[in-house]
Coordinates of all heavy atoms in Angstrom, one line a residue:
L285 N 34.5 9.0 -15.6 CA 35.0 7.8 -14.9 C 34.8 6.6 -15.7 O 35.7 5.7 -15.8 CB 34.4 7.7 -13.5 CG 34.7 8.8 -12.5 CD1 33.9 8.6 -11.3 CD2 36.2 8.9 -12.2
L286 N 33.6 6.4 -16.3 CA 33.3 5.2 -17.1 C 33.2 5.6 -18.5 O 32.9 6.7 -18.9 CB 32.0 4.6 -16.6 CG 31.9 4.1 -15.2 CD1 30.4 3.7 -14.9 CD2 32.8 3.0 -14.9
S287 N 33.5 4.6 -19.4 CA 33.4 4.9 -20.8 C 31.9 5.1 -21.2 O 31.0 4.6 -20.5 CB 34.0 3.7 -21.6 OG 33.1 2.6 -21.4
P288 N 31.7 5.9 -22.3 CA 30.3 6.1 -22.7 C 29.5 4.9 -23.0 O 28.3 4.8 -22.7 CB 30.5 7.0 -24.0 CG 31.9 7.6 -23.8 CD 32.7 6.6 -23.1
L289 N 30.2 3.9 -23.5 CA 29.5 2.6 -23.8 C 29.0 1.9 -22.5 O 27.9 1.4 -22.4 CB 30.3 1.7 -24.6 CG 29.7 0.3 -25.0 CD1 28.5 0.6 -25.9 CD2 30.7 -0.5 -25.7
L290 N 29.9 1.9 -21.5 CA 29.6 1.3 -20.2 C 28.5 2.1 -19.5 O 27.6 1.5 -18.9 CB 30.8 1.3 -19.4 CG 30.7 0.4 -18.1 CD1 30.3 -1.0 -18.4 CD2 32.1 0.4 -17.4
Q291 N 28.5 3.4 -19.7 CA 27.4 4.3 -19.1 C 26.1 3.9 -19.7 O 25.1 3.8 -19.0 CB 27.8 5.7 -19.3 CG 28.9 6.2 -18.4 CD 29.2 7.7 -18.6 OE1 28.6 8.3 -19.5 NE2 30.1 8.3 -17.8
K292 N 26.1 3.8 -21.0 CA 24.8 3.4 -21.7 C 24.3 2.1 -21.2 O 23.1 2.0 -21.0 CB 25.0 3.5 -23.2 CG 25.2 4.8 -23.8 CD 25.4 4.8 -25.3 CE 25.7 6.2 -25.8 NZ 26.0 6.2 -27.2
W293 N 25.1 1.1 -21.1 CA 24.7 -0.2 -20.6 C 24.2 -0.1 -19.2 O 23.3 -0.8 -18.8 CB 25.8 -1.3 -20.8 CG 25.8 -1.8 -22.2 CD1 26.7 -1.6 -23.1 CD2 24.8 -2.7 -22.8 NE1 26.4 -2.2 -24.3 CE2 25.2 -2.9 -24.1 CE3 23.7 -3.3 -22.3 CZ2 24.5 -3.8 -24.9 CZ3 22.9 -4.1 -23.1 CH2 23.3 -4.3 -24.4
A294 N 24.9 0.7 -18.4 CA 24.5 0.8 -17.0 C 23.1 1.4 -16.9 O 22.2 1.0 -16.1 CB 25.5 1.7 -16.2
V295 N 22.8 2.4 -17.8 CA 21.5 3.0 -17.8 C 20.4 2.0 -18.3 O 19.3 2.0 -17.7 CB 21.5 4.3 -18.7 CG1 20.1 4.8 -19.0 CG2 22.3 5.4 -18.0
V296 N 20.8 1.2 -19.3 CA 19.8 0.2 -19.8 C 19.5 -0.8 -18.7 O 18.3 -1.2 -18.5 CB 20.4 -0.5 -21.0 CG1 19.6 -1.7 -21.4 CG2 20.4 0.5 -22.2
V297 N 20.5 -1.3 -18.0 CA 20.3 -2.3 -16.9 C 19.5 -1.7 -15.8 O 18.6 -2.4 -15.3 CB 21.7 -2.8 -16.5 CG1 21.5 -3.7 -15.2 CG2 22.3 -3.7 -17.5
L298 N 19.8 -0.5 -15.4 CA 19.1 0.1 -14.3 C 17.6 0.4 -14.7 O 16.7 0.2 -13.9 CB 19.7 1.4 -13.8 CG 21.1 1.2 -13.1 CD1 21.7 2.6 -12.8 CD2 20.8 0.5 -11.8
S299 N 17.4 0.8 -15.9 CA 16.1 1.0 -16.4 C 15.3 -0.3 -16.5 O 14.1 -0.3 -16.1 CB 16.2 1.7 -17.8 OG 14.9 1.8 -18.4
A300 N 15.9 -1.3 -17.0 CA 15.2 -2.6 -17.0 C 14.8 -3.1 -15.6 O 13.7 -3.6 -15.4 CB 16.0 -3.6 -17.8
S301 N 15.8 -3.0 -14.7 CA 15.5 -3.5 -13.3 C 14.4 -2.6 -12.7 O 13.6 -3.1 -12.0 CB 16.8 -3.5 -12.5 OG 17.3 -2.2 -12.3
S302 N 14.4 -1.3 -13.0 CA 13.4 -0.5 -12.4 C 12.0 -0.8 -13.0 O 11.0 -0.8 -12.3 CB 13.8 1.0 -12.7 OG 12.7 1.8 -12.3
S303 N 12.0 -1.1 -14.3 CA 10.7 -1.5 -14.9 C 10.2 -2.8 -14.4 O 9.0 -2.9 -14.2 CB 10.9 -1.6 -16.5 OG 11.3 -0.3 -17.0
L304 N 11.1 -3.7 -14.2 CA 10.6 -5.0 -13.6 C 10.1 -4.8 -12.2 O 9.1 -5.5 -11.8 CB 11.7 -6.0 -13.6 CG 12.1 -6.6 -15.0 CD1 13.3 -7.5 -14.9 CD2 10.9 -7.3 -15.6
S305 N 10.8 -4.0 -11.4 CA 10.4 -3.7 -10.0 C 9.0 -3.0 -10.0 O 8.1 -3.4 -9.2 CB 11.4 -2.9 -9.3 OG 10.9 -2.5 -8.1
C306 N 8.8 -2.1 -10.9 CA 7.5 -1.4 -11.0 C 6.4 -2.4 -11.5 O 5.3 -2.3 -10.9 CB 7.6 -0.3 -12.0 SG 6.1 0.7 -12.3
L307 N 6.7 -3.3 -12.4 CA 5.7 -4.3 -12.8 C 5.4 -5.2 -11.7 O 4.2 -5.5 -11.5 CB 6.3 -5.1 -14.0 CG 5.4 -6.1 -14.6 CD1 4.1 -5.4 -15.2 CD2 6.1 -6.9 -15.7
G308 N 6.3 -5.6 -10.9 CA 6.0 -6.4 -9.7 C 5.1 -5.7 -8.7 O 4.2 -6.3 -8.1
C309 N 5.4 -4.4 -8.5 CA 4.6 -3.6 -7.5 C 3.1 -3.5 -8.1 O 2.2 -3.6 -7.3 CB 5.2 -2.2 -7.3 SG 6.7 -2.3 -6.4
L310 N 3.0 -3.2 -9.4 CA 1.7 -3.1 -10.0 C 0.9 -4.4 -9.9 O -0.3 -4.4 -9.6 CB 1.8 -2.6 -11.4 CG 2.2 -1.2 -11.6 CD1 2.4 -0.9 -13.1 CD2 1.1 -0.3 -11.0
L311 N 1.6 -5.5 -10.1 CA 1.0 -6.8 -10.0 C 0.5 -7.1 -8.6 O -0.6 -7.6 -8.3 CB 1.9 -7.9 -10.5 CG 1.4 -9.3 -10.4 CD1 0.2 -9.5 -11.4 CD2 2.5 -10.3 -10.8
A312 N 1.4 -6.8 -7.6 CA 1.0 -7.0 -6.2 C -0.2 -6.1 -5.8 O -1.1 -6.5 -5.1 CB 2.2 -6.7 -5.3
L313 N -0.2 -4.9 -6.3 CA -1.3 -4.0 -6.0 C -2.6 -4.5 -6.6 O -3.7 -4.5 -6.0 CB -1.0 -2.6 -6.5 CG -2.1 -1.5 -6.3 CD1 -2.3 -1.2 -4.8 CD2 -1.7 -0.2 -7.0
A314 N -2.5 -5.0 -7.9 CA -3.7 -5.5 -8.5 C -4.3 -6.7 -7.8 O -5.5 -6.9 -7.6 CB -3.4 -5.9 -10.0
V315 N -3.4 -7.6 -7.3 CA -3.8 -8.8 -6.5 C -4.4 -8.4 -5.2 O -5.5 -8.9 -4.8 CB -2.6 -9.7 -6.3 CG1 -2.9 -10.8 -5.2 CG2 -2.1 -10.4 -7.6
S316 N -3.8 -7.4 -4.5 CA -4.4 -7.0 -3.2 C -5.8 -6.3 -3.4 O -6.7 -6.5 -2.6 CB -3.5 -6.1 -2.5 OG -3.3 -4.9 -3.2
I317 N -5.9 -5.5 -4.5 CA -7.2 -4.9 -4.8 C -8.2 -6.0 -5.1 O -9.4 -5.9 -4.6 CB -7.1 -3.8 -5.9 CG1 -6.3 -2.6 -5.4 CG2 -8.5 -3.4 -6.4 CD1 -6.0 -1.6 -6.5
G318 N -7.8 -6.9 -5.9 CA -8.7 -8.0 -6.3 C -9.2 -8.8 -5.1 O -10.4 -9.2 -4.9
L319 N -8.2 -9.1 -4.1 CA -8.6 -9.9 -2.9 C -9.5 -9.1 -2.0 O -10.5 -9.6 -1.4 CB -7.4 -10.3 -2.2 CG -6.5 -11.4 -2.8 CD1 -5.2 -11.6 -2.0 CD2 -7.3 -12.7 -3.0
T320 N -9.3 -7.8 -1.9 CA -10.1 -6.9 -1.1 C -11.5 -6.8 -1.7 O -12.5 -6.9 -1.0 CB -9.5 -5.5 -1.0 OG1 -8.2 -5.6 -0.4 CG2 -10.4 -4.6 -0.1
L321 N -11.6 -6.6 -3.0 CA -13.0 -6.6 -3.6 C -13.6 -7.9 -3.6 O -14.9 -8.0 -3.4 CB -12.8 -6.1 -5.1 CG -12.4 -4.6 -5.2 CD1 -12.3 -4.3 -6.7 CD2 -13.4 -3.7 -4.6
G322 N -12.9 -9.0 -3.7 CA -13.5 -10.3 -3.7 C -14.0 -10.7 -2.3 O -15.1 -11.4 -2.2
S323 N -13.4 -10.2 -1.2 CA -13.9 -10.5 0.1 C -14.9 -9.3 0.6 O -15.3 -9.3 1.7 CB -12.8 -10.6 1.1 OG -12.1 -9.4 1.3
Q324 N -15.2 -8.4 -0.3 CA -16.0 -7.2 0.0 C -15.5 -6.4 1.2 O -16.2 -5.9 2.0 CB -17.4 -7.7 0.2 CG -18.1 -8.3 -1.0 CD -19.5 -8.8 -0.7 OE1 -19.9 -8.8 0.4 NE2 -20.2 -9.1 -1.8
G325 N -14.1 -6.4 1.4 CA -13.5 -5.6 2.4 C -13.5 -6.2 3.8 O -13.0 -5.6 4.7
R326 N -14.1 -7.4 3.9 CA -14.1 -8.1 5.2 C -12.7 -8.4 5.7 O -12.5 -8.5 6.9 CB -15.0 -9.3 5.2 CG -16.5 -9.0 5.2 CD -17.3 -10.3 5.3 NE -18.1 -10.3 4.1 CZ -18.1 -11.1 3.1 NH1 -17.2 -12.1 3.2 NH2 -18.8 -11.1 2.1
A327 N -11.8 -8.7 4.9 CA -10.4 -9.0 5.3 C -9.7 -7.9 6.0 O -8.8 -8.1 6.8 CB -9.6 -9.5 4.1
L328 N -10.2 -6.6 5.7 CA -9.5 -5.5 6.3 C -9.9 -5.4 7.8 O -9.1 -4.9 8.6 CB -10.0 -4.2 5.6 CG -9.5 -4.0 4.1 CD1 -10.2 -2.8 3.5 CD2 -8.0 -4.0 4.1
L329 N -11.1 -5.8 8.1 CA -11.5 -5.8 9.5 C -11.3 -7.1 10.2 O -11.8 -7.3 11.4 CB -13.0 -5.3 9.6 CG -13.2 -3.9 9.1 CD1 -14.7 -3.6 9.2 CD2 -12.5 -2.9 10.0
A330 N -10.7 -8.1 9.6 CA -10.6 -9.4 10.2 C -9.8 -9.4 11.5 O -10.2 -10.2 12.4 CB -9.9 -10.4 9.2
P331 N -8.7 -8.6 11.7 CA -8.0 -8.6 13.0 C -8.8 -8.1 14.1 O -8.4 -8.3 15.3 CB -6.8 -7.8 12.7 CG -6.7 -7.7 11.2 CD -8.0 -7.8 10.7
C332 N -9.9 -7.4 13.9 CA -10.7 -6.7 14.9 C -11.5 -7.8 15.7 O -12.1 -8.7 15.1 CB -11.6 -5.7 14.4 SG -10.8 -4.4 13.5
A333 N -11.4 -7.7 17.0 CA -12.1 -8.7 17.8 C -13.6 -8.4 18.1 O -14.3 -9.2 18.7 CB -11.4 -8.9 19.2
V334 N -14.0 -7.3 17.7 CA -15.4 -6.9 17.9 C -16.3 -7.6 16.9 O -16.0 -7.7 15.7 CB -15.6 -5.3 17.7 CG1 -17.0 -4.9 17.9 CG2 -14.7 -4.6 18.7
T335 N -17.4 -8.1 17.3 CA -18.3 -8.9 16.4 C -19.1 -7.9 15.6 O -19.5 -8.2 14.5 CB -19.3 -9.8 17.2 OG1 -20.0 -9.0 18.2 CG2 -18.5 -10.9 17.9
D336 N -19.4 -6.7 16.1 CA -20.2 -5.7 15.4 C -19.2 -4.9 14.6 O -18.4 -4.2 15.2 CB -21.0 -4.9 16.4 CG -21.9 -3.9 15.6 OD1 -22.1 -4.0 14.4 OD2 -22.5 -3.0 16.3
V337 N -19.3 -4.9 13.3 CA -18.3 -4.2 12.4 C -18.4 -2.7 12.6 O -17.5 -2.0 12.5 CB -18.5 -4.6 11.0 CG1 -17.6 -3.9 10.1 CG2 -18.3 -6.1 10.8
T338 N -19.6 -2.2 13.0 CA -19.8 -0.8 13.1 C -19.0 -0.2 14.3 O -18.7 0.9 14.4 CB -21.3 -0.4 13.3 OG1 -21.8 -1.1 14.4 CG2 -22.0 -0.8 12.0
L339 N -18.7 -1.1 15.3 CA -18.0 -0.7 16.5 C -16.5 -0.9 16.3 O -15.7 -0.5 17.2 CB -18.5 -1.5 17.7 CG -19.9 -1.2 18.2 CD1 -20.2 -2.1 19.4 CD2 -20.1 0.2 18.6
A340 N -16.1 -1.5 15.2 CA -14.6 -1.9 15.1 C -13.7 -0.6 15.1 O -12.7 -0.7 15.7 CB -14.5 -2.7 13.8
P341 N -14.1 0.5 14.4 CA -13.1 1.6 14.5 C -12.9 2.2 15.8 O -11.8 2.7 16.1 CB -13.8 2.6 13.6 CG -14.7 1.9 12.7 CD -15.2 0.7 13.5
V342 N -13.8 2.1 16.8 CA -13.6 2.6 18.1 C -13.1 1.6 19.1 O -12.9 1.9 20.2 CB -14.9 3.3 18.6 CG1 -15.3 4.5 17.7 CG2 -16.1 2.3 18.7
S343 N -13.0 0.4 18.6 CA -12.5 -0.7 19.5 C -11.0 -0.6 19.7 O -10.2 -0.3 18.8 CB -12.8 -2.0 19.0 OG -12.2 -3.0 19.7
R344 N -10.5 -0.9 20.9 CA -9.1 -0.9 21.2 C -8.5 -2.2 20.6 O -7.2 -2.3 20.4 CB -8.8 -0.8 22.7 CG -9.1 0.5 23.2 CD -8.8 0.5 24.7 NE -9.3 1.8 25.3 CZ -8.6 2.7 25.7 NH1 -7.3 2.6 25.7 NH2 -9.1 3.8 26.2
D345 N -9.3 -3.2 20.2 CA -8.7 -4.4 19.7 C -8.5 -4.3 18.2 O -7.8 -5.2 17.6 CB -9.7 -5.6 19.9 CG -9.9 -5.8 21.4 OD1 -8.9 -5.6 22.1 OD2 -11.0 -6.3 21.8
C346 N -9.0 -3.2 17.5 CA -8.8 -3.1 16.1 C -7.4 -2.3 15.9 O -7.2 -1.3 16.5 CB -9.9 -2.3 15.5 SG -10.0 -2.3 13.7
P347 N -6.5 -2.9 15.1 CA -5.2 -2.3 14.9 C -5.2 -0.9 14.1 O -4.2 -0.3 14.1 CB -4.4 -3.3 14.1 CG -5.5 -4.1 13.4 CD -6.7 -4.1 14.3
F348 N -6.3 -0.5 13.5 CA -6.3 0.7 12.8 C -7.7 1.2 12.8 O -8.7 0.5 13.1 CB -5.8 0.5 11.4 CG -6.7 -0.4 10.6 CD1 -7.7 0.2 9.8 CD2 -6.6 -1.7 10.6 CE1 -8.5 -0.7 9.0 CE2 -7.4 -2.6 9.9 CZ -8.4 -2.0 9.1
D349 N -7.9 2.5 12.4 CA -9.2 3.1 12.3 C -9.5 3.3 10.9 O -8.9 4.3 10.3 CB -9.2 4.4 13.1 CG -10.6 5.1 13.1 OD1 -11.5 4.6 12.5 OD2 -10.7 6.1 13.8
P350 N -10.3 2.5 10.2 CA -10.6 2.6 8.8 C -11.4 3.8 8.4 O -11.6 4.1 7.2 CB -11.3 1.3 8.4 CG -11.9 0.9 9.7 CD -11.0 1.4 10.8
T351 N -11.9 4.6 9.4 CA -12.7 5.7 9.0 C -11.9 7.0 9.0 O -12.5 8.1 8.7 CB -13.9 5.9 10.1 OG1 -13.3 6.2 11.4 CG2 -14.7 4.7 10.1
R352 N -10.6 6.9 9.3 CA -9.8 8.1 9.3 C -8.7 8.1 8.2 O -8.3 7.0 7.8 CB -9.0 8.3 10.6 CG -10.0 8.6 11.7 CD -9.3 8.8 13.0 NE -8.5 10.0 13.0 CZ -8.9 11.2 13.4 NH1 -10.2 11.3 13.9 NH2 -8.2 12.2 13.4
V353 N -8.3 9.2 7.7 CA -7.3 9.3 6.7 C -6.1 10.0 7.4 O -6.2 11.1 7.8 CB -7.7 10.1 5.4 CG1 -6.6 10.3 4.5 CG2 -8.9 9.4 4.8
Y354 N -5.0 9.3 7.4 CA -3.8 9.9 8.1 C -2.8 10.3 7.0 O -2.3 9.5 6.2 CB -3.1 8.8 9.0 CG -4.0 8.4 10.1 CD1 -4.7 7.2 10.0 CD2 -4.2 9.1 11.2 CE1 -5.5 6.8 11.0 CE2 -5.0 8.7 12.3 CZ -5.7 7.5 12.2 OH -6.5 7.1 13.2
V355 N -2.6 11.6 6.9 CA -1.7 12.1 5.8 C -0.3 12.0 6.3 O 0.6 11.5 5.6 CB -2.1 13.6 5.5 CG1 -1.1 14.1 4.5 CG2 -3.5 13.6 5.0
S356 N 0.1 12.5 7.4 CA 1.4 12.4 8.0 C 1.3 12.7 9.5 O 0.3 13.2 10.0 CB 2.4 13.5 7.3 OG 2.0 14.8 7.7
P357 N 2.4 12.3 10.2 CA 2.3 12.5 11.7 C 2.1 13.9 12.1 O 1.5 14.2 13.1 CB 3.7 11.9 12.2 CG 4.1 11.0 11.1 CD 3.6 11.5 9.8
S358 N 2.7 14.8 11.3 CA 2.6 16.2 11.7 C 1.6 17.0 10.8 O 1.3 18.2 11.0 CB 4.0 16.9 11.5 OG 4.4 16.9 10.2
G359 N 1.0 16.2 9.9 CA 0.0 16.9 9.0 C -1.4 16.8 9.3 O -1.8 16.6 10.5
L360 N -2.2 16.9 8.4 CA -3.7 16.9 8.5 C -4.2 15.5 8.8 O -3.9 14.5 8.2 CB -4.3 17.4 7.2 CG -5.8 17.5 7.1 CD1 -6.3 18.6 8.1 CD2 -6.1 17.9 5.7
Q361 N -5.2 15.4 9.8 CA -5.9 14.2 10.0 C -7.4 14.5 9.8 O -8.0 15.4 10.4 CB -5.7 13.8 11.5 CG -4.4 13.2 11.8 CD -4.3 12.7 13.2 OE1 -5.3 12.7 13.9 NE2 -3.2 12.1 13.6
V362 N -7.9 13.8 8.8 CA -9.3 14.1 8.4 C -10.2 13.0 8.9 O -9.9 11.8 8.6 CB -9.4 14.2 6.9 CG1 -10.8 14.5 6.4 CG2 -8.5 15.3 6.4
S363 N -11.3 13.3 9.5 CA -12.2 12.3 9.9 C -13.3 12.2 8.9 O -13.8 13.2 8.4 CB -12.8 12.8 11.3 OG -13.4 11.7 11.9
M364 N -13.6 11.0 8.5 CA -14.6 10.7 7.5 C -15.9 10.3 8.1 O -16.0 9.6 9.0 CB -14.1 9.7 6.5 CG -12.9 10.2 5.8 SD -12.3 9.0 4.6 CE -13.4 9.2 3.3

C-alpha cells in the first residue's frame, strides 16, 4: 500500500517516538524511586489516617495494604 521509502520513514518515526516515550517513563520511574527513597517510604503511607504506622495495613483508612503483593484479580495473592 505504501512505497518502501515511506514505510522506512514510518518505521523510523514510530521507533523514535517509542524511544522518547520509553525515556520519559524511565525518567518518571527514576524520579519516583528517588522521592520514595528520599522520604524513606513515608510518602507511601501518608494517606493513612492511623498515627501508628504498624497498624496502617489493617486500617480501613489506608487505601492499600503495603504488606501484600497482588499479582492479578484471579491470580495468586501472597502475604508477606
Side-chain angles (χ1 to χ4, degrees):
L285 295 173
L286 298 176
S287 69
L289 182 62
L290 191 57
Q291 287 178 355
K292 289 179 183 177
W293 276 107
V295 169
V296 167
V297 168
L298 289 174
S299 175
S301 64
S302 175
S303 297
L304 287 175
S305 176
C306 181
L307 183 64
C309 290
L310 287 174
L311 181 64
L313 180 64
V315 167
S316 65
I317 289 173
L319 290 174
T320 301
L321 292 177
S323 69
Q324 296 177 352
R326 279 185 243 113
L328 294 174
L329 295 175
C332 300
V334 178
T335 55
D336 186 10
V337 178
T338 59
L339 294 177
V342 296
S343 169
R344 292 179 187 249
D345 296 330
C346 194
F348 65 95
D349 184 356
T351 63
R352 294 183 68 90
V353 176
Y354 299 98
V355 177
S356 69
S358 63
L360 178 67
Q361 290 185 356
V362 179
S363 199
M364 296 178 81

